[in-house]
Amino acid sequence: EALLLYGPSGIGKSLMTVNLALYLAKPPQNALLWGLFKVPKAAKTLFIQSENGWYSTQNRLQLMAKVRPEFEEALGSLLFPKLRNDCRFVGDLLDRNFQNHLQELIFSTGAGMLVLDPLISYHSKNENDNAEMRKSLDSLTALCEETGVTVLVVHHAGKGGTMGGARGASAITDWAANILSLERTDTDQDSLTIKVKHEKSRNFQ
């Protein structure tokens, strides 16, 4: 089911999606995701994102694998499609051509999870309009149902930070079956701690 991950700018939302994808790509023997959740089978993740270029993305992946050597084999299951030597994409979820392109990428790669990062790069509507945002996100739901993937959508926190909830219309959080938020708990950058809060789970404990 759809997962919405949100938090303030620069907290590490994109890094967390990569970390999650590495765990899903090659579940460690008898190990748990973040020490809590069993991963039943390996899955590929297709990243559609607009903020990180090809070089910085590959450098990030290599650094993560260097720290955690068990992730080295999993790197091939993290899929960043290239367009003219870059891996940054933008589009509109209501654009049929963009929908078809995503569908083709999902089927051709065999991805089990789709990451859209950040949400604002994939719609052209007023983010504070409930009806318009719901229409865009419902089209994403339809794409997931047609292709059999689950989706992780990265979004920004509102002006008040995580305490103020996700940015934009309430339809965004209403749409998501599951919500995680990231929040800084320490102002000392040398000992930064990030609080992960499980805000919503529609169908599970």
Side-chain angles (χ1 to χ4, degrees):
E1 295 183 312
L3 169 63
L4 182 74
L5 172 67
Y6 81 91
S9 179
I11 197 169
K13 298 184 293 295
S14 297
L15 280 170
M16 186 169 177
T17 65
V18 170
N19 184 265
L20 173 59
L22 286 167
Y23 272 102
L24 294 180
K26 192 175 184 300
Q29 189 71 21
N30 299 321
L32 301 174
L33 167 62
W34 304 327
L36 296 172
F37 308 107
K38 183 179 179 181
V39 179
K41 64 178 181 178
K44 297 178 180 179
T45 299
L46 175 64
F47 287 84
I48 304 298
Q49 56 88 39
S50 66
E51 295 184 340
N52 298 296
W54 180 255
Y55 174 79
S56 60
T57 296
Q58 294 305 308
N59 186 56
R60 171 180 288 180
L61 294 175
Q62 292 301 323
L63 287 172
M64 293 180 78
K66 185 177 181 180
V67 174
R68 300 288 297 276
E70 65 270 27
F71 285 153
E72 185 70 39
E73 291 184 43
L75 293 179
S77 293
L78 275 61
L79 313 168
F80 293 84
K82 291 179 72 175
L83 177 67
R84 293 187 296 275
N85 296 318
D86 201 357
C87 59
R88 285 174 284 200
F89 282 78
V90 294
D92 189 337
L93 289 167
L94 293 176
D95 180 354
R96 191 61 196 174
N97 290 329
F98 184 62
Q99 292 176 20
N100 290 339
H101 185 52
L102 290 181
Q103 189 176 79
E104 290 170 7
L105 286 170
I106 292 166
F107 284 138
S108 65
T109 59
M113 183 166 76
L114 169 68
V115 172
L116 287 182
D117 180 12
L119 174 60
I120 195 170
S121 293
Y122 302 102
H123 70 85
S124 59
K125 302 298 183 181
N126 179 352
E127 203 164 77
N128 293 303
D129 187 300
N130 277 305
E132 291 185 340
M133 288 310 303
R134 188 62 194 231
K135 188 180 296 183
S136 293
L137 291 167
D138 281 346
S139 69
L140 178 56
T141 299
L143 174 71
C144 292
E145 291 176 349
E146 291 170 5
T147 58
V149 299
T150 189
V151 65
L152 191 167
V153 175
V154 178
H155 190 39
H156 293 287
K159 291 182 179 179
T162 307
M163 294 296 292
R167 187 176 69 192
S170 61
I172 298 172
T173 51
D174 289 343
W175 164 83
N178 307 280
I179 299 175
L180 292 178
S181 64
L182 304 185
E183 179 184 359
R184 290 185 179 88
T185 61
D186 195 332
T187 57
D188 182 358
Q189 292 299 315
D190 292 329
S191 59
L192 179 64
T193 301
I194 298 174
K195 178 181 178 181
V196 181
K197 184 177 180 181
H198 189 187
E199 295 192 359
K200 178 182 178 182
S201 184
R202 182 175 291 153
N203 295 312
F204 296 91
Q205 290 185 351

